[in-house]
Amino acid sequence: MGVGQNFRLAISSLMTSKVRAFLTMLGIIIGVAAVIVITGLGSGMQRMMNEQFEQLGANLIQVTVYGRGGGSRFVDTDDMYRLVEENPDYLTGVTPYIMTQTLVRSGTEEFDHTSVYGVSEDFSSMASAFGNTLQEGRFLQYLDVQRKQNVCVVGAYINETAFGGNALGQSISLSGTHYTIVGVLAPSGDVTEGSGNDVIYIPYTNACTINGTSETDLFMFTCPGEDTAAVAKQIIDDYLYSVYLSEDYYYTMTSAEMITMMNMMINIMMSVLIAIAAISLLVGGIGIMNIMLVSVSERTREIGIRKSLGAKRRDIRLQFVIEAGTTSAVGGVIGIVFGALVTGIASPILTGMMTGMGGTGSFNAAPTVGAVAIAFGVSVGIGVLFGYLPANKAAKLNPIDALRYE
């Protein structure tokens, strides 16, 4: 018999015992579906993260300073400003970025989940990187920072919840001190409590006072563009090393490095999950081998008859290998379809969850062509691999003993 006829016999065998065939394929179906879902969600996550980081812009550099480097070796905000002034071709701005723990109140209403950040006037050029676009009013200015003016910029949640959309010019209490609202941010994503819209920006000098500190350990720098980011980072690194004489007291990272690191983390996570899903494929392969051994036992007389009519070992072996491969291939196709459906259902659900947490990108999860091809190929390969032992056993049967088998 040719390959085509063996394939048709394999399909006919599957259709004859549908329940047994489905149970045999179940491990393959689950394993392939898991791989499709994992790769689909992983690629969707990578696309979303890349979109988010692209919004940050390639000109953003984050610097974290870990306190004093022993003795009097330390840097302050004025040092960072001076570094920008001395390198205008590579550094265009800097802002401290301070999170405060403060009680936010408007009238008798308290906002327990509102995030309050202290920034400088240069934050106005970076605001879009954090998903913040000014809707009305203005951002913080140089005099606000230098004079510790009690002014702030509020997000859409505070604007709508506390002031009914008319927050500009109103005042809000932070740790008992009234701050005048000079700017209102446009809504970005879902406007809910604790989301990215539930935020207030104040001068970093005020934030230091609230926190009871004189300095911060986090700074955001900007450079003219992506082509100067590496040089700008090196300038910052060189300066900090000249102060601390060690790389242990600071850490710098560009937007491009953030993207690379996140993609690496996602790839590692996907690899671990796929390895776990591969266990299901292994179990499915063992199930196919088991059922094929049973099939060889049930069809021993048939094998004997075929051999007595002139069928060679390779013909018998090919028949059972094709049957095992067909079983796993059908299971692989079902798994791909099921995995694609689950991925398609998960995509809008995860998009809603991300939006609720203040995300602005869309989560478009879809299995890649490469993932589908690999999943199908692996499913067929597992069928052939685990089906070879039963097929070889069938091929080695003695025709006389096979014809006597009851």
Side-chain angles (χ1 to χ4, degrees):
M1 290 191 296
V3 174
Q5 190 172 357
N6 279 324
F7 178 73
R8 286 191 292 273
L9 284 175
I11 294 294
S12 176
S13 176
L14 291 176
M15 297 302 294
T16 301
S17 304
K18 296 184 181 66
V19 175
R20 187 172 79 170
F22 176 75
L23 294 175
T24 302
M25 296 182 293
L26 192 57
I28 298 293
I29 293 172
I30 294 173
V32 170
V35 170
I36 294 298
V37 171
I38 291 167
T39 55
L41 295 181
S43 61
M45 179 67 73
Q46 281 185 322
R47 284 193 295 270
M48 188 193 72
M49 294 301 297
N50 288 338
E51 289 175 3
Q52 293 288 329
F53 278 113
E54 283 174 4
Q55 291 179 6
L56 285 176
N59 65 332
L60 191 66
I61 304 171
Q62 178 178 313
V63 178
T64 305
V65 179
Y66 309 119
R68 294 177 180 267
S72 60
R73 293 197 299 271
F74 70 97
V75 295
D76 57 22
T77 305
D78 290 337
D79 294 325
M80 296 304 193
Y81 274 113
R82 192 179 308 111
L83 187 63
V84 173
E85 292 173 0
E86 293 172 354
N87 299 276
D89 293 336
Y90 298 101
L91 296 172
T92 56
V94 61
T95 177
Y97 199 70
I98 308 171
M99 185 172 184
T100 70
Q101 300 293 329
T102 181
L103 176 64
V104 180
R105 184 193 298 270
S106 176
T108 59
E109 187 174 6
E110 293 184 2
F111 296 88
D112 298 326
H113 298 92
T114 301
S115 299
V116 181
Y117 297 99
V119 296
S120 76
E121 69 279 2
D122 283 345
F123 184 75
S124 59
S125 62
M126 312 176 194
S128 59
F130 296 87
N132 301 138
T133 304
L134 193 66
Q135 178 173 285
E136 55 181 338
R138 64 174 177 83
F139 275 109
L140 302 177
Q141 297 177 348
Y142 176 77
L143 289 178
D144 297 330
V145 175
Q146 292 302 309
R147 296 179 179 177
K148 295 187 179 181
Q149 304 272 41
N150 294 331
V151 295
C152 65
V153 177
V154 301
Y157 177 77
I158 295 293
N159 180 40
E160 295 180 8
T161 305
F163 302 101
N166 299 303
L168 190 63
Q170 303 287 340
S171 67
I172 191 167
S173 173
L174 303 180
S175 293
T177 301
H178 290 282
Y179 280 69
T180 301
I181 299 172
V182 297
V184 177
L185 301 173
S188 174
D190 192 19
V191 183
T192 57
E193 184 179 20
S195 69
N197 290 289
D198 190 6
V199 64
I200 298 175
Y201 292 104
I202 63 175
Y204 78 87
T205 46
N206 298 55
C208 286
T209 300
I210 293 173
N211 287 351
T213 60
S214 59
E215 287 299 332
T216 180
D217 58 1
L218 180 61
F219 299 88
M220 298 291 183
F221 285 83
T222 52
C223 57
E226 183 177 2
D227 54 338
T228 59
V231 178
K233 178 180 181 295
Q234 189 61 51
I235 290 172
I236 298 169
D237 283 337
D238 291 344
Y239 171 71
L240 292 174
Y241 188 83
S242 70
V243 174
Y244 291 106
L245 303 178
S246 171
E247 296 179 353
D248 297 334
Y249 298 101
Y250 61 88
Y251 183 74
T252 60
M253 180 181 289
T254 65
S255 297
E257 290 172 335
M258 293 180 195
I259 295 174
T260 301
M261 184 180 69
M262 289 303 301
N263 284 337
M264 186 182 301
M265 291 174 61
I266 291 173
N267 287 333
I268 292 173
M269 180 181 67
M270 286 173 58
S271 299
V272 172
L273 293 176
I274 289 174
I276 295 173
I279 296 174
S280 180
L281 291 173
L282 179 63
V283 172
I286 295 172
I288 288 176
M289 183 171 63
N290 181 54
I291 204 67
M292 290 305 298
L293 287 171
V294 173
S295 180
V296 169
S297 297
E298 292 175 343
R299 296 158 63 183
T300 300
R301 286 182 60 82
E302 175 193 327
I303 295 169
I305 293 172
R306 286 199 62 199
K307 282 199 166 189
S308 66
L309 294 176
K312 298 184 170 121
R313 282 189 174 187
R314 66 171 179 270
D315 298 321
I316 302 297
R317 188 181 297 112
L318 180 63
Q319 177 187 354
F320 282 92
V321 166
I322 289 178
E323 185 171 327
T326 301
T327 302
S328 61
V330 172
V333 171
I334 296 174
I336 290 169
V337 173
F338 181 66
L341 288 174
V342 173
T343 304
I345 294 171
S347 183
I349 295 174
L350 291 174
T351 298
M353 292 173 61
M354 296 294 180
T355 302
M357 292 187 292
T360 56
S362 59
F363 188 91
N364 297 316
T368 62
V369 176
V372 171
I374 291 174
F376 180 75
V378 168
S379 66
V380 174
I382 284 176
V384 172
L385 178 65
F386 283 87
Y388 184 81
L389 178 63
N392 200 45
K393 178 182 177 182
K396 290 181 178 179
L397 285 175
N398 185 292
I400 297 175
D401 293 335
L403 287 170
R404 288 175 177 173
Y405 186 81
E406 295 295 336

